[in-house]
Amino acid sequence: MFQFFANLFGYLLELLYNLVNNYGLAIILFTVTIKLILLPLSIKQQRTTKKSAELQEKMKILQFKYKNDPEKLNQEMMKMYKDEKMSPFSGCLTAIIQMLLLLSIFYLVRCPLTYMEKISTDDINKYVNQLQEDGRTVSKAYPEIDVIREYNWLKEKNLEDSNIERINLQMNFLGLDLSKVPQQNMNDYTVYIIPLLYILSSFISIKMTTSMQTKQNSKKEESIIDGTTGKEIEKEESNEMDAVMQTNKMMSWMMPIMSISIAFVAPLGLALYWLISNVLMILERLVLNKVIKD
């Protein structure tokens, strides 16, 4: 499935590359395009998040009221979601799309000749075999990246090959070689620039999300059913809210940690995509948070 989407995204990336003739600029435009395509989903998710925050109070009351009757609690919660026209699994769609994009883009930047340039496997294997036969370095993880790097040498060997120009991708972007893998070039300080900027943008994004959640929680009014139970609900809510906040904090760090781990063992083009995606997401949240009122 991920290969299918990588192939699909490859058509878009190739189109953009042909317009700007630079891999880095093409990735930036690709990221902006993907964000624009997903903007309606982002707006819906923002509204769902705010709506979910509003439902937390009702949910806490139901949990307290039916804490000794799980079956009734489930019935009442499903009724509440139905009345509010919401699904308890609405947040899963965003997580699925994020994982789909993460792995699909990884496949795309790992094999740009296959998914972007649509060069046949036989031709790619031919170039790889030529490099190996002459003692050139070809990594098992990223053979297509090494083929792109060895364009000049391969051109001399394949002057009659009509496909040879298609491996000549312009990977240099603002002095950075987007074909480099940080793990394989640890003595080159330039390979750390994009990953470090990605880490910084992730930190800003997490702080922003935490700040928004704290602001939403501070706006909640105290839930009081009656004089004898109000304080008990308030106490339970406080304990549960602390647990939820801790869980959310852990979850918010999981994706950046996983992403940066992959970024250090993948070509820099992937880290550039994540960096631009993070910057756009921060701007998107700032704008949507102003437009979509509580």
Side-chain angles (χ1 to χ4, degrees):
M1 179 177 68
F2 300 117
Q3 290 92 332
F4 169 79
F5 283 102
N7 190 59
L8 191 64
F9 291 150
Y11 286 106
L12 175 59
L13 187 58
E14 181 187 25
L15 173 65
L16 295 172
Y17 178 84
N18 290 335
L19 288 175
V20 297
N21 197 36
N22 183 276
Y23 190 63
L25 286 176
I27 286 180
I28 292 175
L29 292 176
F30 172 85
T31 311
V32 172
T33 303
I34 294 296
K35 278 292 182 184
L36 289 175
I37 292 173
L38 295 177
L39 183 58
L41 181 63
S42 297
I43 294 174
K44 182 179 180 180
Q45 181 63 31
Q46 186 84 347
R47 286 174 173 162
T48 299
T49 300
K50 288 180 178 290
K51 188 67 175 179
S52 296
E54 293 173 4
L55 293 181
Q56 287 299 312
E57 291 299 321
K58 295 181 180 179
M59 195 177 300
K60 293 294 186 299
I61 294 173
L62 290 176
Q63 289 173 341
F64 179 83
K65 188 175 181 180
Y66 300 107
K67 62 182 178 181
N68 296 321
D69 190 349
E71 184 176 349
K72 182 65 174 177
L73 173 61
N74 289 334
Q75 292 175 357
E76 291 296 324
M77 288 183 67
M78 293 308 296
K79 182 178 182 298
M80 180 186 69
Y81 279 114
K82 185 178 180 180
D83 292 341
E84 298 291 341
K85 297 180 180 180
M86 284 187 60
S87 169
F89 307 107
S90 56
C92 296
L93 179 59
T94 301
I96 292 173
I97 291 176
Q98 285 180 341
M99 185 59 65
L100 178 63
L101 284 174
L102 187 153
L103 294 176
S104 297
I105 303 302
F106 173 74
Y107 275 98
L108 177 58
V109 300
R110 178 179 179 270
C111 304
L113 299 182
T114 296
Y115 297 115
M116 178 179 161
E117 291 298 318
K118 314 300 183 189
I119 298 177
S120 69
T121 301
D122 290 339
D123 283 339
I124 293 173
N125 288 337
K126 180 185 73 173
Y127 299 142
V128 170
N129 290 335
Q130 287 179 335
L131 293 173
Q132 290 175 333
E133 287 172 3
D134 277 36
R136 298 274 176 165
T137 301
V138 180
S139 68
K140 292 182 179 180
Y142 307 104
E144 294 188 19
I145 298 298
D146 290 321
V147 167
I148 293 170
R149 284 187 188 145
E150 295 286 359
Y151 160 74
N152 290 326
W153 185 88
L154 286 168
K155 184 177 182 180
E156 293 180 4
K157 295 283 186 176
N158 301 272
L159 292 176
E160 304 299 322
D161 189 342
S162 60
N163 283 328
I164 194 65
E165 288 300 326
R166 294 169 64 190
I167 70 173
N168 185 24
L169 297 180
Q170 178 54 260
M171 290 281 190
N172 289 320
F173 175 69
L174 299 178
L176 303 176
D177 186 352
L178 298 181
S179 70
K180 286 187 176 181
V181 179
Q183 187 185 44
Q184 298 174 357
N185 299 270
M186 298 185 72
N187 292 327
D188 183 357
Y189 76 92
T190 62
V191 301
Y192 301 110
I193 295 176
I194 295 178
L196 288 176
L197 288 174
Y198 169 69
I199 292 174
L200 177 61
S201 66
S202 296
F203 177 77
I204 294 173
S205 177
I206 292 170
K207 292 292 288 184
M208 181 182 298
T209 301
T210 304
S211 176
M212 287 179 178
Q213 288 175 344
T214 302
K215 184 178 179 181
Q216 287 175 352
N217 292 336
S218 65
K219 287 182 178 180
K220 291 181 179 180
E221 296 180 354
E222 295 182 357
S223 300
I224 301 179
I225 300 177
D226 56 48
T228 58
T229 60
K231 291 188 178 299
E232 296 178 56
I233 296 176
E234 186 179 348
K235 182 178 180 181
E236 285 193 12
E237 180 177 338
S238 178
N239 293 335
E240 290 183 17
M241 189 60 67
D242 289 342
V244 169
M245 290 184 67
Q246 287 298 322
T247 301
N248 289 341
K249 187 176 181 180
M250 290 177 59
M251 291 297 294
S252 65
W253 281 102
M254 282 183 63
M255 184 62 74
I257 290 174
M258 182 172 66
S259 298
I260 201 62
S261 299
I262 297 175
F264 272 103
V265 297
L268 285 176
L270 181 63
L272 177 62
Y273 165 77
W274 281 334
L275 170 61
I276 302 302
S277 183
N278 254 7
V279 172
L280 293 175
M281 181 174 63
I282 291 170
L283 295 175
E284 179 184 87
R285 284 180 179 175
L286 288 173
V287 172
L288 291 183
N289 197 54
K290 293 292 185 181
V291 173
I292 303 175
K293 301 298 182 180
D294 292 329

